[in-house]
Amino acid sequence: MRGLLKLSGLIDAVNEGIGKLAYWLVLVAVIVSSANAFIRYGLNTSSNAWLELQWYLFSAVFLLCAGYTFLRNEHIRIDIILGRFSKRVQAWVDIFGILVFMFPMTILIMVLSWPMFLDSYLTNEMSSDAGGLIRWPAKILVPVGFFLLTAQGVSELIKRIAYLTGHRDEPGEKMHSHS
């Protein structure tokens, strides 16, 4: 169990680091959005590349932070119902949800999105909009984001099992302070 908990800690550290990097992506998205609005309305000109860059940045934050959100226990839950049960029952419900719902969905999306990215990369797919960007950077975000979410699911599964076997304290609590 010690080795699995170390793996869990490594996964947590990766998603924590990516989450902190995404804070900066939000700032970049705000700057790009503000500059784009100024250029569009103040200078009466525009570029599809700027609009697409905003979309890429939003996609990056959303997809890359799914695992970070799960790590921080900030994802959508049914706490109003689940909160009435003991911590052990909650851990079993989490294990069931991860195995039966989360893993099949995240793995399926990773598998299905990889060929779309690969095709886009190999053909150097470009936006159909004039002046648009290449598409593969946006498309790689889907399998990468769902890989990070799947990995965090593995980490959370390890923590739930460690809790149930007495190797760890409550896994569902928010274990990190907000930055």
Side-chain angles (χ1 to χ4, degrees), residues 14-31:
V14 167
N15 273 315
E16 183 77 29
I18 289 171
K20 299 233 168 138
L21 172 67
Y23 292 167
W24 293 103
L25 290 178
V26 171
L27 177 62
V28 172
V30 168
I31 292 168

Side-chain angles (χ1 to χ4, degrees), residues 69-179:
T69 303
F70 195 22
L71 166 66
R72 294 213 166 223
N73 199 23
E74 298 288 334
H75 56 293
I76 305 261
R77 299 180 57 97
I78 50 171
D79 286 341
I80 195 164
I81 297 167
L82 201 56
R84 299 172 191 230
F85 296 106
S86 71
K87 297 289 184 186
R88 292 187 67 77
V89 170
Q90 290 176 26
W92 278 111
V93 169
D94 285 345
I95 289 170
F96 177 79
I98 290 167
L99 292 174
V100 174
F101 296 110
M102 183 183 163
F103 283 165
M105 186 255 331
T106 58
I107 292 168
L108 181 65
I109 291 172
M110 271 192 303
V111 168
L112 294 176
S113 64
W114 184 255
M116 291 172 34
F117 152 71
L118 202 53
D119 181 58
S120 180
Y121 179 77
L122 292 174
T123 62
N124 203 28
E125 179 185 8
M126 295 294 293
S127 170
S128 59
D129 296 323
L133 302 174
I134 56 174
R135 289 285 187 207
W136 71 262
K139 289 187 177 184
I140 189 66
L141 292 171
V142 177
V144 169
F146 278 91
F147 172 78
L148 292 168
L149 180 56
T150 303
Q152 193 59 47
V154 169
S155 176
E156 298 304 317
L157 186 63
I158 291 168
K159 289 184 255 187
R160 292 336 180 256
I161 292 169
Y163 168 68
L164 290 172
T165 59
H167 292 93
R168 187 172 198 282
D169 291 334
E170 300 174 23
E173 296 300 314
K174 294 178 185 171
M175 294 171 287
H176 305 279
S177 62
H178 290 280
S179 300

